[in-house]
Amino acid sequence: SFIPVPAASFEGSFVRYSDYLLYYNGSAYYLQQSGQADPNTKDGQSQLKHIKRESLTNAEGDVYAATLAKQLHITVTDKEVDNEIAKSRASYGDISEQVYNASAMSVFGWTPSEYRHVMKEKLLRQKVAYQIDKNALTAKDAVAAAIKANPSADFAAVADSVNKTAA
């Protein structure tokens, strides 16, 4: 279901048209389903034009992250994607996989495999960013450890404490 046709070139690598369309269609679907963009109005057309550029920027960001990930020997496994999806499902009260998939379809018009693809790209970007920004990785680990040690801790207070310690 992914078309290997380039939509653009970024830093010498091709941005797949299918990735651009995935972001664009998801955003357009959301805006239209929520009544925030009517393609039959000037404002709606303006919004859709904006998300075209935003979608291409997202797809370019994925290509850039993938390029850096190769250089830094960073990968995202299917297990990591599964774990992230499981965490997301649990945050909604541990909903079933069927309900979760129906939600992604309802909100973005994405199939489960398309949602996994987007999630994998998101995780890769995250891992690359943490590798490049060691301070962010250290802060993330400190917050995670504090929350794990005291699950009822106020997240904002923990994050504030970590920020003050890092400064």
Side-chain angles (χ1 to χ4, degrees):
S1 78
F2 293 111
I3 304 166
V5 174
S9 177
F10 183 78
E11 304 263 331
S13 296
F14 289 112
V15 177
R16 293 185 331 178
Y17 187 66
S18 59
D19 289 344
Y20 157 75
L21 274 182
L22 185 63
Y23 286 121
Y24 175 75
N25 288 339
S27 295
Y29 186 86
Y30 173 79
L31 288 175
Q32 290 172 10
Q33 290 299 107
S34 64
Q36 297 180 42
D38 179 353
N40 298 317
T41 67
K42 188 173 182 173
D43 183 53
Q45 290 172 1
S46 176
Q47 286 178 309
L48 293 175
K49 183 177 179 181
H50 170 75
I51 65 168
K52 280 182 182 179
R53 181 62 236 171
E54 191 175 72
S55 299
L56 186 56
T57 299
N58 277 334
E60 289 169 341
D62 289 348
V63 168
Y64 185 59
T67 300
L68 291 176
K70 256 186 215 169
Q71 294 169 1
L72 298 169
H73 307 287
I74 296 172
T75 60
V76 173
T77 65
D78 287 340
K79 180 73 172 157
E80 289 172 307
V81 175
D82 291 341
N83 289 343
E84 192 65 26
I85 290 173
K87 280 194 282 187
S88 181
R89 282 179 43 205
S91 73
Y92 291 105
D94 205 18
I95 60 175
S96 73
E97 183 176 358
Q98 185 177 12
V99 168
Y100 191 77
N101 290 342
S103 175
M105 178 59 77
S106 172
V107 173
F108 299 109
W110 289 339
T111 65
S113 65
E114 290 169 332
Y115 183 78
R116 286 184 65 80
H117 176 76
V118 170
M119 181 63 70
K120 190 170 191 171
E121 296 300 320
K122 175 188 157 230
L123 290 172
L124 187 64
R125 281 184 179 210
Q126 224 173 44
K127 287 174 86 171
V128 167
Y130 287 144
Q131 180 67 31
I132 291 171
D133 186 349
K134 297 290 185 186
N135 292 337
L137 180 60
T138 301
K140 177 196 77 97
D141 291 344
V143 169
I147 296 294
K148 186 174 183 179
N150 183 5
S152 63
D154 177 40
F155 181 79
V158 170
D160 189 46
S161 172
V162 167
N163 282 337
K164 286 179 182 171
T165 305

